[in-house]
């Protein structure tokens, strides 16, 4: 008999058929929703690996293929459990976000320019002016306490006054030097990776916010597609009344619901017309909105003045920053001393004088707290936000897609398989309750 003949032969008044018609679509719809809802949860939670130790897994781990080792369900210490896909891939995703988005948006020099170095200099001067006298006193008392004690108060006040006078010029010269050599002082890619490794919850927040609508669609789509596929499965069960048909149908539906839900979010990348209809991935349709959200989170959390300052002073290239500070501040110290420079050099010796000049560079880092000023950070972030949003609007849709796609691309097959397993379990549960 043909499929049509089988369907036509179904007795729609039969009690078993009516039970199946009501319960099977309900099961497939609910399981479809639970599958996709739990899939979204598993993308982001937990932040760290949670699991139980399995005998022999620690010994077997090094022998497993690399593709298996990176599954966030096992750990190298022999535990079986789970870590959110996004937190487990945070370094890779941060690298992709730089390569696919930030690198196309602008260089670290472009971002530094948007932070307005002149205003940063003014802010640093305002912060340092209140403390600069104490810094001068600390340096002199540490390096040559006797000389500093013997200086008359008038001489100390004159030195303090000259330092205050030269401070704006010194700070402006430093911010100019940073801007000129920023590409050598900061590895932007490494900075972003290090930041997200230290704050995986920020990557979660960014992807949740960027893909908020798509993730909600993915959850609801499980129910909306699961119900009609369940109705089709009812007629398949009537045509082939074997116990294994329902579990197998559950496997297919669980897999298809996940696969289509993810595919519809990202495909097609470019608008594609089919007759009077135009189709495009849901995420792609929102590129302007996605750009605005991404720009806000990048400017507020990732490439802001505080993080740039921390990277300059404490990052892997901080030695270059200190060299730059020393070479910039040495002549500034000479100028601040003015006519007294020669006499001071003779009085304390060239070596100790040079040590005082170098101490200024290390003490200058005490003013890094100015980079953490929240109000000033918010003010400067506005320009970065506008800059990033404008640049991201111009990116090709495929590159914008990578921002969210990279979160699940490598491990999306796990979501498909998990959907199939849940579908199989739902089929067995239905059999246990209602029979064949």
């Amino acid at each position: 008999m043909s499929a049509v003949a089988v369907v036509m032969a179904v007795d729609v008044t039969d009690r078993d058929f009516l039970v199946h018609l009501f319960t099977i679509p309900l099961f497939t719809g609910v399981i479809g929703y639970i599958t996709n809802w739990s899939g979204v949860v598993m993308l982001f939670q937990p932040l760290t690996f949670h699991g139980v130790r399995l005998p022999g897994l620690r010994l077997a781990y090094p022998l497993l293929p690399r593709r298996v080792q990176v599954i966030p369900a096992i750990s190298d210490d022999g535990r079986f459990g789970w870590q959110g896909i996004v937190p487990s891939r945070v370094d890779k995703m941060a690298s992709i976000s730089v390569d696919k988005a930030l690198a196309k948006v602008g260089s670290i020099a472009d971002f530094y320019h948007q932070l307005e170095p002149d205003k940063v200099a003014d802010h640093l001067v305002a912060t340092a002016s209140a403390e600069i006298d104490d810094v001068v006193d600390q340096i002199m008392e540490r390096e040559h306490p006797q000389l500093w004690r013997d200086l008359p108060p008038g001489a100390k006040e004159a030195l303090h006054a000259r330092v205050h006078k030269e401070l704006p010029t010194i700070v402006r010269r430093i911010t100019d030097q940073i801007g000129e050599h920023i590409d050598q002082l900061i590895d932007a890619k490494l900075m972003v990776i290090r930041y997200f490794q230290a704050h995986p919850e920020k990557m979660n927040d960014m992807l949740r916010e960027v893909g908020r609508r798509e993730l909600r669609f993915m959850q609801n789509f499980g129910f909306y597609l699961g119900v009609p596929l369940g109705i089709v499965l009812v007629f398949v069960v009537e045509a082939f009344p074997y116990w294994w048909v329902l579990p197998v149908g559950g496997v297919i539906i669980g897999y298809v619901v996940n696969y289509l839900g993810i595919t519809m979010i990202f495909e097609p990348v470019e608008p594609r017309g089919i007759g009077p209809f135009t189709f495009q991935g849901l995420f792609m349709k929102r590129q302007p909105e996605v750009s605005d959200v991404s720009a806000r989170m990048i400017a507020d959390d990732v490439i802001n003045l505080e993080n740039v300052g921390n990277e300059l002073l404490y990052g892997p290239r901080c030695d270059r920053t200190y060299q730059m500070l020393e070479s910039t501040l040495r002549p500034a110290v000479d100028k601040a001393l003015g006519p007294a420079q020669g006499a001071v050099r003779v009085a304390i010796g060239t070596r100790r004088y040079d040590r005082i000049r170098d101490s200024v560079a290390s003490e200058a880092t005490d003013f890094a707290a100015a980079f953490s000023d929240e109000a000033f950070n918010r003010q400067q972030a506005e320009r970065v936000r506008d800059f990033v949003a404008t640049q991201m609007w111009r990116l090709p849709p495929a590159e914008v897609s990578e921002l969210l796609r990279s979160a699940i691309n490598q491990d999306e097959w796990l979501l498909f398989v998990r959907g199939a397993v849940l579908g199989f379990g739902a089929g067995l549960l239905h059999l246990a309750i209602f029979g064949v």
Side-chain angles (χ1 to χ4, degrees):
M1 294 178 66
S2 67
V4 174
V6 170
V7 171
M8 295 298 295
V10 171
D11 182 3
V12 295
T13 62
D14 180 70
R15 179 182 177 280
D16 289 341
F17 172 78
L18 293 176
V19 169
H20 285 168
L21 186 62
F22 176 75
T23 58
I24 291 178
L26 180 62
F27 263 64
T28 54
V30 170
I31 290 299
Y33 181 87
I34 292 175
T35 297
N36 286 11
W37 169 80
S38 60
V40 171
V41 173
M42 291 172 70
L43 280 176
F44 302 107
Q45 297 297 332
L47 285 176
T48 57
F49 189 89
H50 292 268
V52 295
R53 209 168 294 278
L54 289 184
L57 182 57
R58 185 174 183 179
L59 295 176
Y61 184 87
L63 306 177
L64 297 173
R66 176 61 182 167
R67 182 177 177 83
V68 176
Q69 288 181 344
V70 299
I71 294 174
I74 58 175
S75 65
D76 56 4
D77 61 357
R79 288 181 298 157
F80 179 79
W82 189 255
Q83 180 182 12
I85 291 176
V86 171
S88 71
R89 301 279 188 268
V90 70
D91 50 349
K92 176 183 177 181
M93 293 179 56
S95 177
I96 290 174
S97 69
V98 174
D99 293 338
K100 297 292 185 180
L102 291 182
K104 308 292 177 63
V105 167
S107 66
I108 189 64
D110 295 324
F111 282 98
Y112 182 75
H113 177 71
Q114 295 302 318
L115 289 171
E116 298 180 294
D118 289 346
K119 288 188 177 180
V120 173
D122 293 339
H123 182 65
L124 286 171
V125 169
T127 302
S129 293
E131 305 175 28
I132 194 66
D133 289 350
D134 291 338
V135 171
V136 171
D137 293 344
Q138 289 170 11
I139 293 174
M140 293 304 297
E141 288 172 358
R142 183 179 64 241
E143 301 297 339
H144 208 302
Q146 187 62 46
L147 172 65
W148 193 242
R149 281 195 296 267
D150 292 343
L151 275 179
K156 293 180 181 180
E157 291 175 6
L159 177 58
H160 287 156
R162 289 191 65 86
V163 171
H164 277 279
K165 180 180 177 181
E166 295 296 328
L167 186 61
T169 303
I170 294 170
V171 174
R172 188 65 54 87
R173 188 178 299 128
I174 290 172
T175 54
D176 289 344
Q177 286 291 308
I178 291 175
E180 186 175 339
H181 302 289
I182 191 74
D183 289 317
Q184 288 78 47
L185 300 175
I186 290 181
D187 183 330
K189 185 172 183 176
L190 188 57
M191 181 184 81
V192 173
I193 291 174
R194 277 161 33 91
Y195 176 79
F196 280 121
Q197 283 177 332
H199 305 281
E201 72 281 359
K202 293 294 186 180
M203 179 65 80
N204 274 359
D205 292 343
M206 184 169 76
L207 293 176
R208 278 184 177 133
E209 187 66 21
V210 167
R212 175 172 44 85
R213 292 187 183 179
E214 287 71 28
L215 294 173
R216 187 168 60 243
F217 163 82
M218 186 174 169
Q219 292 178 196
N220 296 335
F221 183 74
F223 182 81
Y224 297 147
L225 184 62
V227 169
L229 288 179
I231 295 174
V232 173
L233 183 58
V234 170
F235 290 94
V236 173
V237 169
E238 291 297 317
F240 304 97
Y242 307 110
W243 73 267
W244 51 265
V245 173
L246 200 54
V248 170
V251 168
I252 296 172
I253 291 174
Y255 188 96
V256 168
V257 163
N258 273 268
Y259 175 80
L260 287 181
I262 291 177
T263 300
M264 289 177 66
I265 290 175
F266 299 105
E267 301 291 343
V269 173
E270 300 288 348
R272 184 178 300 170
I274 300 178
F277 303 102
T278 301
F279 297 94
Q280 187 180 19
L282 299 175
F283 192 60
M284 301 299 93
K285 291 180 179 180
R286 295 196 305 119
Q287 180 165 345
E289 182 182 347
V290 167
S291 299
D292 288 339
V293 172
S294 301
R296 173 171 54 80
M297 303 202 74
I298 289 170
D300 291 348
D301 297 325
V302 185
I303 304 184
N304 55 34
L305 184 60
E306 180 178 7
N307 290 345
V308 169
N310 287 336
E311 192 70 14
L312 283 169
L313 296 175
Y314 311 113
R317 296 182 180 179
C318 64
D319 57 324
R320 302 182 187 183
T321 303
Y322 285 101
Q323 289 174 2
M324 184 273 296
L325 285 174
E326 288 175 0
S327 63
T328 303
L329 289 172
R330 281 171 184 162
V333 172
D334 295 338
K335 190 173 181 181
L337 287 172
Q341 175 198 342
V344 172
R345 187 186 290 271
V346 170
I348 66 175
T350 300
R351 182 178 298 178
R352 184 165 286 178
Y353 179 80
D354 289 341
R355 200 163 65 193
I356 290 174
R357 293 197 304 175
D358 293 342
S359 294
V360 175
S362 61
E363 295 291 343
T365 60
D366 291 344
F367 302 123
F371 294 137
S372 303
D373 187 319
E374 291 187 11
F376 187 71
N377 259 289
R378 284 195 300 270
Q379 176 184 325
Q380 300 310 104
E382 291 179 7
R383 282 177 55 89
V384 176
R385 194 180 304 129
D386 293 341
F387 170 72
V388 174
T390 301
Q391 296 297 98
M392 286 190 67
W393 290 341
R394 301 170 181 169
L395 289 177
E399 293 178 0
V400 177
S401 171
E402 284 294 321
L403 282 176
L404 188 59
R405 182 65 163 172
S406 62
I408 58 177
N409 192 33
Q410 182 175 348
D411 296 308
E412 62 185 20
W413 66 273
L414 285 172
L415 302 179
F416 302 157
V417 171
R418 184 187 50 80
V421 171
L422 287 176
F424 183 79
L428 292 180
L429 179 62
H430 190 278
L431 283 175
I433 297 174
F434 300 102
V436 180

